[in-house]
């Protein structure tokens, strides 16, 4: 769970609104105070400083904990003093040094961005840990370590207080910060439950952190609430609150004369000579604006802001109290160039009534326009710019590079990479098709003309046509119970319900048992038909065991079953020794190698597009089919394809014949972008062994290095 998830969990579900209104009399204006308070208390300020600094620099967490354990902040008597010393410490220790990072830290503190994480610690201890402790044990052991299923209340960790096997210590919680690798040499993590302000914390921290840094264990600190904690509810910041006070009187304003003055927003009048001055004093009454003054108010405001000496400061002043300043702004006219630019923007990208914000060329979604989301985005942008500055770019150059249109174009989702899933290159006998929409009798009532694809259907349904438009090929391990269940219970159901998709399977051949199973399946298909294959697999599924080729299931399947024309029956062992079936299995292995489908859970291919076979593969397949259907429908409507066109070949026009799963994985989210500069520094000995073409360093020391990753075609 990310930090944004904590914010939604705590802030959206646990906000209290307190409103107080004081009406002092009929002659004075009422005063209304509105505040947002969380349902939980403010965390200790030292903890909030620690967690906020860790949000800016995750590597600073345990070094700052070392400082706390040393008593570096014990002399601070007020929050202000603690704040100043803490900021000075993180700068002196090199954790947060740049002005941008310090500004981000101060902004995060002002909106209490780390408070939900601390409260999550407290909630976990109160609901999951405290009920497991003995009566009065919590008070007698305010700081303790959970290690190897036991509770230790002494910093020396020499004697266990009690057994706590019911706690899952190996599970890393979303709010955990871990020192050390995994569980260390001991195989068990050390979890310290403590109040970091406790006098005992320093001794425990020194002992456990030392073992973690020596590789003996891993170390996590989880905060526990204390009785001395403040009971002041956390005041929420970063949220907008609207309080609408409306009069119920029906007020009529005669603006007929004003309407006649200006009916349309045409070419603006010449610029007024007088300078517009914003109101600085509080007005007793706002001057109402006529309809003619309202028409060009937006453009006049934009012109006024852009022509000011400090546009950003002017924008803030105007937006903070726009009704007060609107009357003065109406006296100003906008230029013709501004009107032309405004109209061009509306035509190209921004319809009326919409607002758009960009940050370094990246559009910020309207639902992310809150203080917390903007803080996260600014941190990501700052990290990107810092990485570019590390390789020689200046700040403006880094921003200019990130804002390049070519980068935005590369992120636009284009046509999916397709692969030729057909088995013609391997002889045409690899894929086991479960249906053929163009030939099977169950589809004989379907229309066969292309215009049938344009028929209206219910949402989620595909138009029916007697052609193999959509094809899905799924590699399956027929010795795996889950894969057999997927075929027998799911894919076969799609075929029986006449889903307009042609389904095919390819047996994977990762083990000797799977190879024998594939020989048996191919023999049953050729000799007895597809029904025999499904009967054989259903029998294996009923027994809850699919060890491989099963003689009993094979003999029961072929008993009293009619042979296909020109075929002869073979005994079980003869099938496994058949040379023809062996060559067919070898062709299947070549097919899987060609498409990069040799992993433990290979992808499926829908209309040639590789889709990861995970929990959401059905949704991904449906989305792929829907996109391809819309593409075909558009071409049919535009009459760019003929009636006799092969839609299967149409989708595979730009398909490649082979796929390397390491270079082009089916799930792009698994691709990790690595900073090669940092990699070369951390693993210099390995980097120096890579084959290279040396450059002339004496001419230019900043020559770029190119790492070429290629697939050798043998």
């Amino acid at each position: 769970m990310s930090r944004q998830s904590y914010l939604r969990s705590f802030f959206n579900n646990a906000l209290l609104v307190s409103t107080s209104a004081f009406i002092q009399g009929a002659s004075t204006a009422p005063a209304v105070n509105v505040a947002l308070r969380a349902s939980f208390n403010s965390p200790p300020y030292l903890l909030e400083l620690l967690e906020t600094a860790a949000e800016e620099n995750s590597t600073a967490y345990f070094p700052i904990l070392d400082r706390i354990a040393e008593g570096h902040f014990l002399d601070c008597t007020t929050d202000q003093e603690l704040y100043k010393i803490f900021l000075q410490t993180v700068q002196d220790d090199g954790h947060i040094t740049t002005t941008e990072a310090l500004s981000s830290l101060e902004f995060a503190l002002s909106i209490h961005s780390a408070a939900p994480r601390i409260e999550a610690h407290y909630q976990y201890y109160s609901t999951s840990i405290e009920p497991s402790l003995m009566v009065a044990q919590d008070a007698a052991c305010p700081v303790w370590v959970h290690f190897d299923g036991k509770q230790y209340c002494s910093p020396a960790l020499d004697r266990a207080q009690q057994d706590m096997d019911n706690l899952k210590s190996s599970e890393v919680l979303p709010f955990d910060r871990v020192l050390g690798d995994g569980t260390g040499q001991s195989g068990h993590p050390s979890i310290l439950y403590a109040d970091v302000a406790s006098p005992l914390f320093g001794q425990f921290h020194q002992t456990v952190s030392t073992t973690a840094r020596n590789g003996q264990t891993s170390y996590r600190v989880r905060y526990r609430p204390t009785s001395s904690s403040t009971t002041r509810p956390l005041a929420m910041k970063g949220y907008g609150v609207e309080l609408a006070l409306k009069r119920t009187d029906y007020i009529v304003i005669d603006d007929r004369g004003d309407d006649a003055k200006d009916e349309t927003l045409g070419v603006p009048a010449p610029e007024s000579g007088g300078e517009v001055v914003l109101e600085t004093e509080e007005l007793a009454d706002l001057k109402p604006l006529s309809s003619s003054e309202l028409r060009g108010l937006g453009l006049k405001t934009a012109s006024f802001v852009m022509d000011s000496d400090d546009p950003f400061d002017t924008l803030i002043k105007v937006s903070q109290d726009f009704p007060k300043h609107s009357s003065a702004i109406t006296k100003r006219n906008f230029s013709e160039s501004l009107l032309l630019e405004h109209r061009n923007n509306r035509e190209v990208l921004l319809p009326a009534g919409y607002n758009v914000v960009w940050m370094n060329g990246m559009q910020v979604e309207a639902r992310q326009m809150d203080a917390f989301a903007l803080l996260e985005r600014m941190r990501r942008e700052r990290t990107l710019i810092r990485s570019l500055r590390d390789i020689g770019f200046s700040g403006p150059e880094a921003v200019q590079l990130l804002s390049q249109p070519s980068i935005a174009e590369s992120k636009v989702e284009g046509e999916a990479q397709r692969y030729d899933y057909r088995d013609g290159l391997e002889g045409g006998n690899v894929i086991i098709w479960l249906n053929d929409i163009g030939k099977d009798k169950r589809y004989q009532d379907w229309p066969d003309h292309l215009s049938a694809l344009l028929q209206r259907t219910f949402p989620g349904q595909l138009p029916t046509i007697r052609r193999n438009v959509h094809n899905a090929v799924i590699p399956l391990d027929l010795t795996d119970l889950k894969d057999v269940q997927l075929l027998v219970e799911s894919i076969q159901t799609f075929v029986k319900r006449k889903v307009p998709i042609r389904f095919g399977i390819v047996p994977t051949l990762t083990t000797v048992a799977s190879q024998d199973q594939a020989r048996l399946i191919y023999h049953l298909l050729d000799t007895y038909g597809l029904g025999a294959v499904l009967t054989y697999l259903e029998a294996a599924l009923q027994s809850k065991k699919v060890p491989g080729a099963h003689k009993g299931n094979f003999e029961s399947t072929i008993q009293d079953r009619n042979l296909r024309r020109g075929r002869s029956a073979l005994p079980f062992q003869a099938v496994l020794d058949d040379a023809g079936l062996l060559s067919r299995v070898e062709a299947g292995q070549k097919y899987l190698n060609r498409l990069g489908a040799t992993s433990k859970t290979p992808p499926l291919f829908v209309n040639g597009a590789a889709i990861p076979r995970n929990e959401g593969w059905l949704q991904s397949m449906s989305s792929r089919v829907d996109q391809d259907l819309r593409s075909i429908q558009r071409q049919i409507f535009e009459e760019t394809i003929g009636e006799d066109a092969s839609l299967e070949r149409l989708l595979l026009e730009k398909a490649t014949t082979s796929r390397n799963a390491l270079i082009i994985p089916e799930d792009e989210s698994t691709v990790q972008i690595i900073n090669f500069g940092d990699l070369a520094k951390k693993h210099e000995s390995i980097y120096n062994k890579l084959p290279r073409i040396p450059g002339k360093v004496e001419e230019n020391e900043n020559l770029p290095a190119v790492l070429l990753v290629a697939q050798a075609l043998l």
Side-chain angles (χ1 to χ4, degrees):
M1 186 183 296
S2 66
R3 189 187 63 82
Q4 291 291 338
S5 300
Y6 289 127
L7 294 175
R8 297 189 185 96
S9 174
F10 283 102
F11 290 172
N12 292 345
N13 298 329
L15 287 179
L16 300 177
V17 180
S18 77
T19 306
S20 60
F22 304 93
I23 303 177
Q24 300 176 356
S27 60
T28 60
V32 179
N33 298 325
V34 180
L36 288 176
R37 300 186 186 277
S39 61
F40 52 89
N41 296 324
S42 300
Y45 195 49
L46 180 60
L47 270 186
E48 192 170 0
L49 288 169
L50 170 64
E51 287 291 348
T52 307
E55 288 180 352
E56 289 296 326
N57 182 5
S58 59
T59 61
Y61 181 76
F62 285 99
I64 297 177
L65 269 184
D66 293 338
R67 286 287 204 170
I68 296 174
E70 295 168 359
H72 185 71
F73 305 103
L74 283 179
D75 296 334
C76 300
T77 57
T78 64
D79 287 350
Q80 183 179 7
E81 185 180 0
L82 176 61
Y83 168 77
K84 292 180 179 180
I85 295 180
F86 187 89
L87 285 189
Q88 189 63 44
T89 301
V90 295
Q91 294 178 72
D92 294 343
D93 292 351
H95 302 309
I96 300 176
T97 56
T98 64
T99 55
E100 306 90 47
L102 286 172
S103 298
S104 179
L105 173 64
E106 293 171 350
F107 178 41
L109 283 172
S110 67
I111 61 176
H112 304 290
S113 63
R117 188 182 190 118
I118 299 171
E119 180 63 21
H121 280 261
Y122 291 167
Q123 290 289 337
Y124 176 77
Y125 189 86
S126 300
T127 58
S128 301
I129 303 299
E130 199 169 13
S132 303
L133 300 176
M134 296 172 58
V135 178
Q137 186 63 35
D138 185 54
C141 194
V143 180
W144 55 279
V145 174
H146 182 213
F147 177 74
D148 193 16
K150 295 178 175 59
Q151 180 190 29
Y152 293 87
C153 295
S154 169
L157 306 182
D158 51 355
R159 184 176 63 87
Q161 186 74 15
Q162 63 174 325
D163 292 332
M164 303 189 69
D165 295 327
N166 55 330
L167 294 182
K168 297 180 180 180
S169 60
S170 60
E171 181 181 0
V172 179
L173 300 178
F175 49 75
D176 277 338
R177 301 188 189 276
V178 183
L179 176 64
D181 185 17
T183 56
Q185 299 175 0
S186 65
H188 303 283
S190 297
I191 304 176
L192 176 61
Y193 293 94
D195 171 17
V196 298
S198 171
L200 297 174
F201 170 74
Q203 302 177 47
F204 278 90
H205 172 77
Q206 184 177 5
T207 301
V208 184
S209 62
T210 301
T211 60
R213 291 187 171 100
N214 293 336
Q216 299 173 336
T217 182
S218 65
Y219 174 36
R220 309 168 201 169
V221 178
R222 293 177 182 170
Y223 316 131
R224 51 160 298 170
T226 60
S227 57
S228 60
S229 300
T230 60
T231 57
R232 183 179 69 256
L234 178 67
M236 305 308 306
K237 303 292 179 64
Y239 286 90
V241 181
E242 177 184 5
L243 182 63
L245 301 178
K246 299 181 179 180
R247 294 177 62 181
T248 59
D249 301 338
Y250 186 76
I251 303 174
V252 179
I253 300 176
D254 187 0
D255 59 358
R256 289 173 295 181
D258 296 323
D259 292 341
K261 296 178 183 178
D262 188 6
E263 294 295 335
T264 60
L265 181 61
V267 177
E271 293 276 357
S272 59
E275 182 181 356
V276 177
V277 179
L278 297 180
E279 296 285 352
T280 57
E281 298 181 357
E282 197 68 30
L283 298 179
D285 193 13
L286 297 177
K287 178 184 176 181
L289 301 181
S290 65
S291 59
S292 61
E293 290 175 321
L294 289 173
R295 280 197 181 94
L297 185 57
L299 286 174
K300 291 177 181 179
T301 306
S303 177
F304 172 69
V305 170
M306 294 303 298
D307 292 342
S308 63
D309 295 335
D310 191 343
F312 189 71
D313 182 63
T314 304
L315 176 63
I316 293 176
K317 290 180 180 178
V318 171
S319 59
Q320 284 180 340
D321 202 344
F322 185 68
K324 183 174 71 173
H325 304 306
S326 59
S327 178
I329 295 175
T330 57
K331 301 175 183 179
R332 176 188 177 87
N333 288 319
F334 49 85
S335 64
E336 186 175 357
S337 60
L338 178 65
L339 177 62
L340 181 61
E341 181 182 358
H342 169 73
R343 287 175 173 172
N344 290 337
N345 289 337
R346 286 290 172 87
E347 293 175 358
V348 174
L349 56 92
L350 192 60
Y354 286 85
N355 299 312
V356 177
V357 177
W358 287 276
M359 185 180 295
N360 292 339
M362 180 70 72
Q363 182 174 337
V364 181
E365 298 182 12
R367 56 189 175 89
Q368 294 181 339
M369 285 298 297
D370 61 76
F372 304 97
L374 288 177
L375 176 63
E376 286 295 326
R377 184 174 290 273
M378 286 191 293
R379 283 171 175 166
R380 290 197 299 267
E381 292 296 318
R382 195 171 67 250
T383 302
L384 281 174
I385 293 175
R386 183 171 62 248
S387 64
L388 291 174
R389 296 182 68 175
D390 290 342
I391 60 177
F393 287 91
S394 64
E397 288 173 341
V399 174
Q400 186 178 5
L401 177 62
L402 293 174
S403 305
Q404 281 291 325
S406 55
I407 296 179
E409 293 173 1
S410 66
K411 301 302 291 183
V412 176
E413 184 177 358
E415 179 65 22
Q417 175 63 55
R418 300 181 191 270
Y419 305 93
D420 192 349
Y421 59 85
R422 296 169 296 188
D423 55 4
L425 296 175
E426 290 78 25
N429 292 317
V430 173
I431 302 176
I432 302 175
W433 293 107
L434 305 181
N435 60 333
D436 190 332
I437 299 177
K439 297 179 181 179
D440 292 351
K441 293 182 180 180
R442 60 163 59 98
Y443 309 105
Q444 62 184 358
D445 296 333
W446 288 8
D448 60 355
H449 48 84
L450 289 182
S451 59
L453 289 175
L454 301 178
Q455 61 183 312
R456 299 181 63 180
T457 59
F458 291 103
Q461 288 186 341
L462 296 173
T464 56
I465 182 174
R466 193 169 170 77
R467 297 194 187 190
N468 293 315
V469 180
H470 307 291
N471 297 268
V473 178
I474 309 174
L476 295 175
D477 183 359
L478 298 181
T479 61
D480 183 87
L481 187 63
K482 292 183 179 179
D483 281 14
V484 174
Q485 187 176 13
L486 174 64
L487 170 60
V488 173
E489 297 182 357
S490 298
I491 302 176
Q492 187 181 190
T493 302
F494 295 150
V495 175
K496 290 180 178 179
R497 292 183 177 180
K498 298 198 294 186
V499 175
I501 299 176
R502 190 186 189 194
F503 290 94
I505 66 168
V506 175
T508 59
L509 309 165
T510 55
T511 62
V512 176
S514 62
Q515 295 175 10
D516 292 341
Q517 184 81 311
R519 291 191 185 98
L520 213 62
I521 294 297
Y522 281 132
H523 171 74
L524 291 173
L525 178 67
D526 295 341
T527 307
Y528 300 98
L530 181 62
V533 173
L534 296 175
T535 300
Y536 172 77
L537 293 176
E538 287 173 353
L541 186 61
Q542 290 177 358
S543 64
K544 302 295 182 181
K545 294 181 181 179
V546 193
H550 193 278
K551 184 176 180 180
N553 292 339
F554 173 76
E555 292 177 348
S556 62
T557 299
I558 65 175
Q559 186 177 5
D560 300 329
R561 189 175 290 271
N562 296 328
L563 295 170
R564 300 182 68 180
R565 183 178 302 177
R567 298 293 180 176
S568 58
L570 291 177
F572 178 79
Q573 190 60 41
V575 172
L576 300 181
D577 298 335
D578 187 87
L581 293 173
L582 176 60
S583 62
R584 193 167 178 180
V585 169
E586 292 174 349
Q589 187 62 59
K590 293 179 181 178
Y591 176 88
L592 296 172
N593 291 338
R594 175 170 65 86
L595 294 178
T598 56
S599 60
K600 184 178 180 180
T601 307
L604 63 146
F605 297 89
V606 180
N607 294 338
I611 294 177
R613 186 153 64 89
N614 50 28
E615 294 180 355
W617 72 270
L618 275 176
Q619 290 79 4
S620 300
M621 181 182 69
S622 176
S623 176
R624 180 75 266 160
V625 168
D626 184 61
Q627 294 179 42
D628 293 341
L629 175 62
R630 290 200 301 268
S631 175
I632 294 173
Q633 287 174 331
R634 183 176 64 253
Q635 296 182 63
I636 294 174
F637 181 79
E638 296 174 352
E639 298 182 352
T640 57
I641 56 177
E643 185 68 32
D644 298 331
S646 172
L647 301 181
E648 179 184 7
R649 295 176 183 175
L650 178 67
L651 293 173
L652 297 178
E653 280 182 347
K654 299 181 181 180
T656 59
T657 57
S658 62
R659 167 180 171 269
N660 189 317
L662 295 177
I663 298 177
I664 310 177
E666 59 272 15
D667 186 2
E668 293 185 358
S669 63
T670 60
V671 177
Q672 297 183 5
I673 306 299
I674 299 175
N675 188 331
F676 190 72
D678 293 342
L679 193 66
K681 293 178 182 178
K682 294 178 181 178
H683 306 281
E684 186 176 359
S685 59
I686 300 176
Y687 174 70
N688 291 332
K689 296 178 182 178
L690 295 176
R692 68 186 65 195
I693 301 175
K696 297 180 180 180
V697 181
E698 63 275 5
E699 295 182 1
N700 188 353
E701 296 183 357
N702 294 322
L703 286 174
V706 179
L707 177 64
L708 178 63
V709 180
Q711 176 184 5
L713 300 177
L714 302 178

